Amino acid sequence: MTDPVASLRDELGALERAYAPGAQGRWVARRRAAAIDAALAGLWEGAAAPAGIALAAIGGYGRGIQLPHSDIDLLIVHDDVVAPELARVVDAILYPLWDGGLVVGHVVRTPAECLDAAGRFDSWTAMLDGRPLVGDVALAEAALASVRELATRDPSGFLDRLAAAAGARASRFGSCAHLLEPDLKEGTGGLRDVASLGWIAVAIGRDLLDAGLLRGGERSAVEDAEEFLVRARSAVQLLTRRRDDRLVAELQPDVAREMGFADEPGLVAADGLMRALFGHARDVELVADIVPRRIAAPPATLSPVPEGPGAVLAVLADLAESGDPPSAPLLDAIEGAELDDPVAWDAEVRAGFVRLLRAGDAGARMLEVLDRLRLLSRFVPAWADVRCRPQRDPYHRSTVDVHLLRAAAGAAAALARAGDADPAGIAAISQPDAVLLGALLHDIGKTGVGGHVPIGAAIAAETLEHMGVEPLVRELATFLVAEHLLLPDTATRRDLSDEDLLLDTAARIGTPERLAALWIVTEADALATGPAAWTPWRQALIRELVAKVRRIFARGDMGREIAERLAERTERLRALLAEEPEKEVDAFVLRMPRGYFLATEPAQAARHFRTIAPPIGANEVRTAATEGTQPQTYEVLVVAADRPGLLSWIAGALAIGGISVLSAQVFTTGDGVAIDLFEVEGAFEPEINEARWREFRSMLRRAIEGSVSLEHRVEEKRRHYPPPRLRTPLTVRSHNDVSEFSTVVEVGAPDRIGLLYDVTRALADLRLDVHLAKVATYDGRVVDAFYVRDALGRKIVDEPQLAEIERAMRERLDAEQTPAAPTT
């Protein structure tokens, strides 16, 4: 007699080999399910099962979709069969499968227990997909029918539970429609949402298409999406040889190859795969969201759309403003409307489009509906190049187009709350529509070719011209696209106490209205990007920059403002140090560089006084650590006689102590004393205990004395920790247009133990003196700016020398880029 399990293993092996570029994923998945059905029938026959017991398939296997390494989910239904006999049958079915290396999930229930199990929603929906296989088929069908009847008895309650489960999945797994490492099964827009449409049909007792709740085009789109998702998930499981549902970045090139994607100009194969995946998942996401809302929608909202592009936008704007979902007939009418490609804009089209932008999140959802119908790019032709395009960096969590829609919605929200905690004077904006258009188009240049800012500015200008917006709106919107990185880049990479920097920034922005508009787009861009782009630290720096530039516009005299601020701060400092000897306070105020008082609060400077003021010996080093400005951070003050390499020694000692630098400011007094101020946190645990502080101080003193090699110690420390998972490019650039007195060397690199030490050691080897450092660390990437001068205290203006500095820095840091393997 043929062994059913051996035959099944042969068939499954043959089906694995059937996968190839262009293969039909669902066809193979159904063949797998059919092969399992046949094997179970053979096992059942050999088990000689008594009456009153049946075997049913549930879950994905119940739907007839079985993937290479997914569980075989079985329901054994019995009518109070005695336990020994039941156990004998179950063992006869399961043990051969287990011994054959198959993963089988099973439950054993009476019909009454099936009803009880439906109290758990996942068990309920698994049984909604159930189908009898062998045995007492009538018993199994009756048990499954009673479970289905629970849903049809209270469809509204079922839909509420379905919505709650979908919300929980979204919180846990995110969206399959735009996350760069999506869960193909549980993420919104994934296979679980495809299955949910079948459950809804069960609950309402009708086919969704026949009920007018699903359009023919939507059904076809969902079927195409299911095919793609099944194929992609199968490829993941075949590559990992286990039940994996997440398409991680490391697998994407291989999955792309397995699915027949190839590199194209401006789009590598892996991004082509993800772009196609996002498009399919969005179709599922939209339908899974809109069908329940159509069920709940009052009939009055199900109105046909008038003809013409302006009328299409107007009816979508009406829905956005009312909060109603678009009906199936409405979407059929929109899809069937005869729209030119591209649409010729007129006053009616402009009015409808701007109404959608003003509607914020609700308007963005309607634009997404238009996009799902493949019509948005007819209104905005440049949209086609950014649609579903992934962004491969550590900060963005969404595709380019989703990011742009979220940014536009965020800008609308900011305009609506003008006056609440407004650091930029938003209420004075006279062209709010320009702000919305600027936010929508700010990353429109991310087409995979060239720098996105200049390309985006050109595309935006062309797009706004095509829209026919008035010149003032076009000018402001184009400016916002061209300068949308100005505020965050300046705030996080430059010295905000530098008078020339602030004057240059104000001149580049030009007017208070532009500043307010730029603030809105900056905030909306950051919030739409993800948490790493809008941390409290970054927000505070940008707010500080905006407030300072706004004061420049208000007063028109930066020199006087700085002088007043400096006088105010030193006066407050003297008041705080009233109990100290007046001569020592005077000497302290005169000795410290102006930038120190501009960068530190008077209370902070007063706290530093006793560490800095006394004369310091040639090899003496003083340190003080206090609580930082943010939770679980520390402020570290280091005072020592200035000398080449001092900053690198401090950075190395911090790294050896397991201390990560978040920001650094370096000052030098007129008598050659270095005042180095750091904001730090524990590199691997929040608390920095006294033992680690002692290690830091000991290493620093020994480095100054020349009795220890920090390079070796830092390397030893680095060996114990893995390199960062996200690999971002190393960049080294020099700038001479940022500061009047210093050359700014900017370094961008993945964060790692000892990175600041590597950078500052390289600067010291180049005989460059660091006069100020701005260290910005967030979400695994560091962007540091060092204000340096040559050995004679001059700015480096010779272009060949600047090129040599950049080359030498890049070579040095490249050599350090890949740490040694971690040790145990």
Side-chain angles (χ1 to χ4, degrees):
M1 179 179 178
T2 303
D3 180 355
V5 175
S7 298
L8 174 61
R9 295 294 300 174
D10 291 343
E11 178 69 9
L12 295 182
L15 289 172
E16 283 194 10
R17 294 188 292 274
Y19 281 104
Q24 296 299 305
R26 283 183 301 180
W27 180 84
V28 178
R30 289 185 180 118
R31 287 287 303 273
R32 291 180 62 85
I36 295 168
D37 289 354
L40 287 169
L43 291 171
W44 187 267
E45 182 179 356
I53 185 171
L55 191 62
I58 58 175
Y61 175 40
R63 291 191 300 277
I65 301 293
Q66 189 66 26
L67 272 66
H69 290 277
S70 293
D71 295 354
I72 302 170
D73 292 323
L74 299 176
L75 168 65
I76 296 122
V77 186
H78 67 98
D79 188 11
D80 292 326
V81 174
V82 293
E85 187 68 2
L86 180 63
R88 180 189 65 78
V89 174
V90 171
D91 289 351
I93 298 296
L94 298 182
Y95 274 98
L97 295 172
W98 288 336
D99 291 342
L102 299 166
V103 180
V104 183
H106 74 286
V107 288
V108 181
R109 296 171 181 151
T110 65
E113 289 170 340
C114 288
L115 285 174
D116 290 340
R120 298 187 302 276
F121 194 70
D122 57 342
S123 297
W124 192 4
T125 54
M127 289 186 289
L128 290 181
D129 289 323
R131 57 185 175 91
L133 294 174
V134 289
D136 192 339
V137 172
L139 175 68
E141 183 53 55
L144 294 172
S146 66
V147 171
R148 289 192 291 269
E149 197 270 335
L150 278 179
T152 58
R153 188 188 311 161
D154 181 18
S156 178
F158 178 83
L159 290 177
D160 287 343
R161 292 190 65 181
L162 183 64
R169 282 192 295 109
S171 297
R172 181 177 178 187
F173 298 101
S175 174
C176 194
H178 59 80
L179 289 181
L180 284 177
E181 295 188 324
D183 189 297
L184 301 174
K185 179 182 179 183
E186 302 291 353
T188 58
L191 288 167
R192 185 72 73 185
D193 276 351
V194 174
S196 72
L197 295 172
W199 305 334
I200 293 173
V202 171
I204 66 170
R206 296 182 65 189
D207 179 84
L208 297 180
L209 189 65
D210 295 341
L213 298 169
L214 190 67
R215 302 167 50 243
E218 289 171 344
R219 170 169 285 180
S220 297
V222 170
E223 289 174 349
D224 290 346
E226 183 184 27
E227 169 62 34
F228 189 94
L229 289 164
V230 166
R231 181 68 183 90
R233 187 173 170 221
S234 298
V236 168
Q237 293 188 3
L238 288 169
L239 286 166
T240 62
R241 311 303 300 175
R242 62 178 182 269
R243 185 190 179 283
D244 268 356
D245 300 323
R246 190 161 170 246
L247 180 52
V248 297
E250 294 85 346
L251 289 175
Q252 289 169 16
D254 291 333
V255 172
R257 184 184 63 252
E258 291 295 319
M259 295 184 68
F261 287 88
D263 291 346
E264 300 175 11
L267 194 73
V268 298
D271 285 355
L273 163 72
M274 299 309 294
R275 198 172 188 184
L277 170 63
F278 295 147
H280 285 301
R282 286 182 190 182
D283 289 333
V284 174
E285 197 172 60
L286 174 67
V287 173
D289 171 70
I290 210 168
V291 166
R293 294 201 290 129
R294 284 174 181 159
I295 294 173
T301 65
L302 307 180
S303 57
V305 62
E307 295 182 359
V312 167
L313 296 183
V315 75
L316 290 176
D318 289 341
L319 292 174
E321 290 164 1
S322 68
D324 294 323
S327 68
L330 174 65
L331 294 184
D332 279 334
I334 292 175
E335 192 170 39
E338 294 185 2
L339 301 180
D340 292 338
D341 189 9
V343 166
W345 284 61
D346 56 20
E348 186 183 14
V349 173
R350 284 192 296 275
F353 196 81
V354 169
R355 280 180 63 198
L356 286 170
L357 293 180
R358 290 173 181 167
D361 286 330
R365 285 195 295 272
M366 292 302 109
L367 288 172
E368 286 177 345
V369 168
L370 205 59
D371 179 65
R372 302 306 190 268
L373 298 175
R374 308 302 194 270
L375 295 177
L376 183 53
S377 59
R378 295 194 182 187
F379 289 88
V380 185
W383 200 258
D385 284 335
V386 298
R387 186 179 189 273
C388 296
R389 182 176 288 275
Q391 303 190 76
R392 302 275 181 184
D393 63 50
Y395 318 117
H396 284 85
R397 303 174 64 185
S398 304
T399 54
V400 178
D401 56 339
V402 169
H403 171 73
L404 292 177
L405 290 173
R406 288 180 176 176
L415 287 166
R417 66 172 185 266
D420 299 336
D422 175 8
I426 295 172
I429 293 176
S430 63
Q431 303 291 342
D433 294 346
V435 180
L436 299 174
L437 289 166
L440 179 70
L441 300 174
H442 76 274
D443 274 350
I444 200 70
K446 288 186 173 179
T447 60
V449 180
H452 83 277
V453 174
I455 290 175
I459 294 173
E462 181 181 349
T463 299
L464 294 165
E465 183 74 26
H466 173 69
M467 291 178 174
V469 298
E470 60 183 91
L472 289 177
V473 172
R474 184 167 65 248
E475 180 186 2
L476 178 54
T478 305
F479 163 80
L480 293 172
V481 175
E483 299 290 0
H484 72 273
L485 296 178
L486 175 60
L487 293 181
D489 282 358
T490 302
T492 59
R493 304 179 187 182
R494 302 292 180 254
D495 175 14
L496 299 188
S497 64
D498 187 323
E499 176 181 359
D500 292 333
L501 170 72
L502 296 173
L503 285 170
D504 289 345
T505 302
R508 190 165 163 182
I509 294 173
T511 68
E513 181 178 13
R514 281 185 165 191
L515 174 64
L518 199 55
W519 159 259
I520 290 178
V521 172
T522 298
E523 180 186 42
D525 179 15
L527 290 172
T529 295
W534 202 237
T535 62
W537 174 76
R538 286 171 65 82
Q539 184 178 356
L541 287 177
I542 295 170
R543 280 179 172 269
E544 179 185 353
L545 173 61
V546 169
K548 288 178 174 179
V549 174
R550 188 181 180 190
R551 288 197 297 270
I552 291 173
F553 290 134
R555 298 186 182 187
D557 189 348
M558 185 62 184
R560 184 164 62 244
E561 180 190 8
I562 285 191
E564 290 171 356
R565 181 179 174 204
L566 184 61
E568 176 193 2
R569 289 201 165 193
T570 54
E571 183 178 344
R572 288 170 57 197
L573 175 64
R574 290 178 187 278
L576 291 169
L577 296 176
E579 300 299 319
E580 300 292 338
E582 185 175 352
K583 288 185 178 180
E584 292 183 19
V585 174
D586 289 340
F588 178 71
V589 172
L590 291 172
R591 176 173 170 242
M592 295 300 292
R594 182 181 65 169
Y596 170 83
F597 292 116
L598 293 173
T600 58
E601 293 292 331
Q604 189 181 16
R607 190 169 65 245
H608 296 165
F609 173 78
R610 288 194 172 276
T611 305
I612 296 173
I616 194 161
N619 288 325
E620 183 183 2
V621 59
R622 299 180 191 143
T623 63
T626 58
E627 290 185 0
T629 58
Q630 300 294 327
Q632 299 181 338
T633 66
Y634 301 81
E635 176 195 278
V636 179
L637 172 67
V638 180
V639 181
D642 195 22
R643 70 202 72 193
L646 176 62
L647 182 56
S648 70
W649 296 339
I650 299 171
L654 287 168
I656 291 168
I659 300 169
S660 179
V661 178
L662 298 174
S663 65
Q665 298 183 87
V666 179
F667 308 97
T668 306
T669 66
D671 58 354
V673 175
I675 312 297
D676 295 352
L677 191 60
F678 301 85
E679 186 87 356
V680 303
E681 65 180 2
F684 308 104
E685 59 272 344
E687 183 181 0
I688 304 176
N689 58 32
E690 183 55 36
R692 288 165 66 193
W693 288 123
R694 284 197 302 270
E695 183 177 23
F696 156 64
R697 297 185 188 104
S698 172
M699 284 295 138
L700 179 55
R701 289 192 178 92
R702 293 172 64 188
I704 290 175
E705 294 167 356
S707 62
V708 67
S709 168
L710 289 186
E711 182 175 358
H712 174 73
R713 298 299 183 96
V714 171
E715 185 58 31
E716 283 296 313
K717 175 67 69 171
R718 189 179 287 143
R719 287 176 181 275
H720 292 277
Y721 301 98
R725 188 174 73 88
L726 291 174
R727 307 300 294 172
T728 56
L730 167 69
T731 59
V732 180
R733 299 185 180 93
S734 60
H735 305 274
N736 265 330
D737 55 352
V738 174
S739 171
E740 186 67 23
F741 306 105
S742 300
T743 295
V744 176
V745 176
E746 186 179 280
V747 179
D751 193 18
R752 65 175 188 270
I753 284 291
L755 176 63
L756 183 59
Y757 168 72
D758 295 335
V759 174
T760 51
R761 183 164 57 93
L763 291 170
D765 290 346
L766 290 166
R767 301 181 63 80
L768 297 176
D769 187 17
V770 179
H771 280 252
L772 187 139
K774 292 276 289 184
V775 175
T777 305
Y778 43 89
D779 199 31
R781 181 164 175 81
V782 170
V783 180
D784 297 346
F786 301 88
Y787 288 64
V788 302
R789 301 175 192 171
D790 64 17
L792 298 177
R794 301 170 305 187
K795 200 173 180 179
I796 299 97
V797 295
D798 182 62
E799 289 298 328
Q801 186 180 1
L802 287 172
E804 176 60 19
I805 289 170
E806 291 184 13
R807 185 197 62 77
M809 289 282 293
R810 197 173 290 111
E811 286 184 358
R812 170 65 66 86
L813 295 176
D814 268 333
E816 302 285 353
Q817 188 82 307
T818 306
T823 59
T824 56

PDB file of all heavy atoms in Angstrom, residues 39-53:
ATOM      1  N   ALA A  39      -3.581  13.157   1.042  1.00  0.00           N
ATOM      2  CA  ALA A  39      -2.830  12.418   2.058  1.00  0.00           C
ATOM      3  C   ALA A  39      -3.699  12.161   3.288  1.00  0.00           C
ATOM      4  O   ALA A  39      -3.666  11.073   3.871  1.00  0.00           O
ATOM      5  CB  ALA A  39      -1.570  13.188   2.433  1.00  0.00           C
ATOM      6  N   LEU A  40      -4.462  13.162   3.705  1.00  0.00           N
ATOM      7  CA  LEU A  40      -5.326  12.991   4.876  1.00  0.00           C
ATOM      8  C   LEU A  40      -6.411  11.954   4.602  1.00  0.00           C
ATOM      9  O   LEU A  40      -6.793  11.186   5.507  1.00  0.00           O
ATOM     10  CB  LEU A  40      -5.951  14.338   5.253  1.00  0.00           C
ATOM     11  CG  LEU A  40      -4.987  15.336   5.896  1.00  0.00           C
ATOM     12  CD1 LEU A  40      -5.633  16.725   5.995  1.00  0.00           C
ATOM     13  CD2 LEU A  40      -4.565  14.867   7.290  1.00  0.00           C
ATOM     14  N   ALA A  41      -6.912  11.919   3.379  1.00  0.00           N
ATOM     15  CA  ALA A  41      -7.909  10.907   3.044  1.00  0.00           C
ATOM     16  C   ALA A  41      -7.317   9.508   3.183  1.00  0.00           C
ATOM     17  O   ALA A  41      -7.965   8.581   3.702  1.00  0.00           O
ATOM     18  CB  ALA A  41      -8.432  11.129   1.621  1.00  0.00           C
ATOM     19  N   GLY A  42      -6.071   9.347   2.733  1.00  0.00           N
ATOM     20  CA  GLY A  42      -5.422   8.060   2.877  1.00  0.00           C
ATOM     21  C   GLY A  42      -5.178   7.684   4.321  1.00  0.00           C
ATOM     22  O   GLY A  42      -5.389   6.524   4.720  1.00  0.00           O
ATOM     23  N   LEU A  43      -4.735   8.646   5.118  1.00  0.00           N
ATOM     24  CA  LEU A  43      -4.511   8.380   6.544  1.00  0.00           C
ATOM     25  C   LEU A  43      -5.824   8.060   7.240  1.00  0.00           C
ATOM     26  O   LEU A  43      -5.871   7.197   8.139  1.00  0.00           O
ATOM     27  CB  LEU A  43      -3.835   9.586   7.198  1.00  0.00           C
ATOM     28  CG  LEU A  43      -2.391   9.855   6.779  1.00  0.00           C
ATOM     29  CD1 LEU A  43      -1.912  11.198   7.338  1.00  0.00           C
ATOM     30  CD2 LEU A  43      -1.469   8.726   7.269  1.00  0.00           C
ATOM     31  N   TRP A  44      -6.876   8.757   6.849  1.00  0.00           N
ATOM     32  CA  TRP A  44      -8.184   8.514   7.478  1.00  0.00           C
ATOM     33  C   TRP A  44      -8.675   7.099   7.174  1.00  0.00           C
ATOM     34  O   TRP A  44      -9.199   6.413   8.060  1.00  0.00           O
ATOM     35  CB  TRP A  44      -9.181   9.553   6.962  1.00  0.00           C
ATOM     36  CG  TRP A  44     -10.509   9.497   7.674  1.00  0.00           C
ATOM     37  CD1 TRP A  44     -11.620   8.802   7.315  1.00  0.00           C
ATOM     38  CD2 TRP A  44     -10.830  10.153   8.894  1.00  0.00           C
ATOM     39  NE1 TRP A  44     -12.625   8.989   8.205  1.00  0.00           N
ATOM     40  CE2 TRP A  44     -12.171   9.829   9.205  1.00  0.00           C
ATOM     41  CE3 TRP A  44     -10.136  10.999   9.749  1.00  0.00           C
ATOM     42  CZ2 TRP A  44     -12.815  10.310  10.337  1.00  0.00           C
ATOM     43  CZ3 TRP A  44     -10.779  11.489  10.871  1.00  0.00           C
ATOM     44  CH2 TRP A  44     -12.100  11.146  11.162  1.00  0.00           C
ATOM     45  N   GLU A  45      -8.470   6.695   5.949  1.00  0.00           N
ATOM     46  CA  GLU A  45      -8.892   5.349   5.580  1.00  0.00           C
ATOM     47  C   GLU A  45      -8.145   4.309   6.414  1.00  0.00           C
ATOM     48  O   GLU A  45      -8.727   3.334   6.891  1.00  0.00           O
ATOM     49  CB  GLU A  45      -8.651   5.120   4.088  1.00  0.00           C
ATOM     50  CG  GLU A  45      -9.112   3.755   3.589  1.00  0.00           C
ATOM     51  CD  GLU A  45      -8.872   3.584   2.101  1.00  0.00           C
ATOM     52  OE1 GLU A  45      -8.423   4.556   1.453  1.00  0.00           O
ATOM     53  OE2 GLU A  45      -9.119   2.480   1.580  1.00  0.00           O
ATOM     54  N   GLY A  46      -6.861   4.532   6.615  1.00  0.00           N
ATOM     55  CA  GLY A  46      -6.089   3.586   7.414  1.00  0.00           C
ATOM     56  C   GLY A  46      -6.419   3.634   8.895  1.00  0.00           C
ATOM     57  O   GLY A  46      -6.160   2.674   9.623  1.00  0.00           O
ATOM     58  N   ALA A  47      -6.999   4.742   9.366  1.00  0.00           N
ATOM     59  CA  ALA A  47      -7.299   4.872  10.794  1.00  0.00           C
ATOM     60  C   ALA A  47      -8.545   4.123  11.201  1.00  0.00           C
ATOM     61  O   ALA A  47      -8.793   3.921  12.399  1.00  0.00           O
ATOM     62  CB  ALA A  47      -7.448   6.357  11.148  1.00  0.00           C
ATOM     63  N   ALA A  48      -9.373   3.728  10.216  1.00  0.00           N
ATOM     64  CA  ALA A  48     -10.620   3.020  10.517  1.00  0.00           C
ATOM     65  C   ALA A  48     -11.417   3.759  11.584  1.00  0.00           C
ATOM     66  O   ALA A  48     -11.768   3.223  12.642  1.00  0.00           O
ATOM     67  CB  ALA A  48     -10.326   1.575  10.962  1.00  0.00           C
ATOM     68  N   ALA A  49     -11.725   5.010  11.313  1.00  0.00           N
ATOM     69  CA  ALA A  49     -12.418   5.850  12.290  1.00  0.00           C
ATOM     70  C   ALA A  49     -13.859   5.396  12.463  1.00  0.00           C
ATOM     71  O   ALA A  49     -14.517   5.005  11.498  1.00  0.00           O
ATOM     72  CB  ALA A  49     -12.385   7.305  11.830  1.00  0.00           C
ATOM     73  N   PRO A  50     -14.388   5.452  13.690  1.00  0.00           N
ATOM     74  CA  PRO A  50     -15.788   5.084  13.926  1.00  0.00           C
ATOM     75  C   PRO A  50     -16.716   6.188  13.443  1.00  0.00           C
ATOM     76  O   PRO A  50     -16.283   7.267  13.036  1.00  0.00           O
ATOM     77  CB  PRO A  50     -15.843   4.950  15.451  1.00  0.00           C
ATOM     78  CG  PRO A  50     -14.827   5.916  15.932  1.00  0.00           C
ATOM     79  CD  PRO A  50     -13.713   5.868  14.916  1.00  0.00           C
ATOM     80  N   ALA A  51     -18.015   5.938  13.516  1.00  0.00           N
ATOM     81  CA  ALA A  51     -18.996   6.963  13.164  1.00  0.00           C
ATOM     82  C   ALA A  51     -18.938   8.084  14.203  1.00  0.00           C
ATOM     83  O   ALA A  51     -18.471   7.902  15.333  1.00  0.00           O
ATOM     84  CB  ALA A  51     -20.398   6.352  13.110  1.00  0.00           C
ATOM     85  N   GLY A  52     -19.426   9.262  13.794  1.00  0.00           N
ATOM     86  CA  GLY A  52     -19.500  10.382  14.723  1.00  0.00           C
ATOM     87  C   GLY A  52     -18.219  11.165  14.873  1.00  0.00           C
ATOM     88  O   GLY A  52     -18.005  11.854  15.878  1.00  0.00           O
ATOM     89  N   ILE A  53     -17.340  11.094  13.887  1.00  0.00           N
ATOM     90  CA  ILE A  53     -16.089  11.855  13.925  1.00  0.00           C
ATOM     91  C   ILE A  53     -15.751  12.292  12.501  1.00  0.00           C
ATOM     92  O   ILE A  53     -16.022  11.552  11.540  1.00  0.00           O
ATOM     93  CB  ILE A  53     -14.938  11.024  14.556  1.00  0.00           C
ATOM     94  CG1 ILE A  53     -13.670  11.876  14.695  1.00  0.00           C
ATOM     95  CG2 ILE A  53     -14.665   9.782  13.759  1.00  0.00           C
ATOM     96  CD1 ILE A  53     -12.592  11.167  15.514  1.00  0.00           C
TER      97      ILE A  53
END
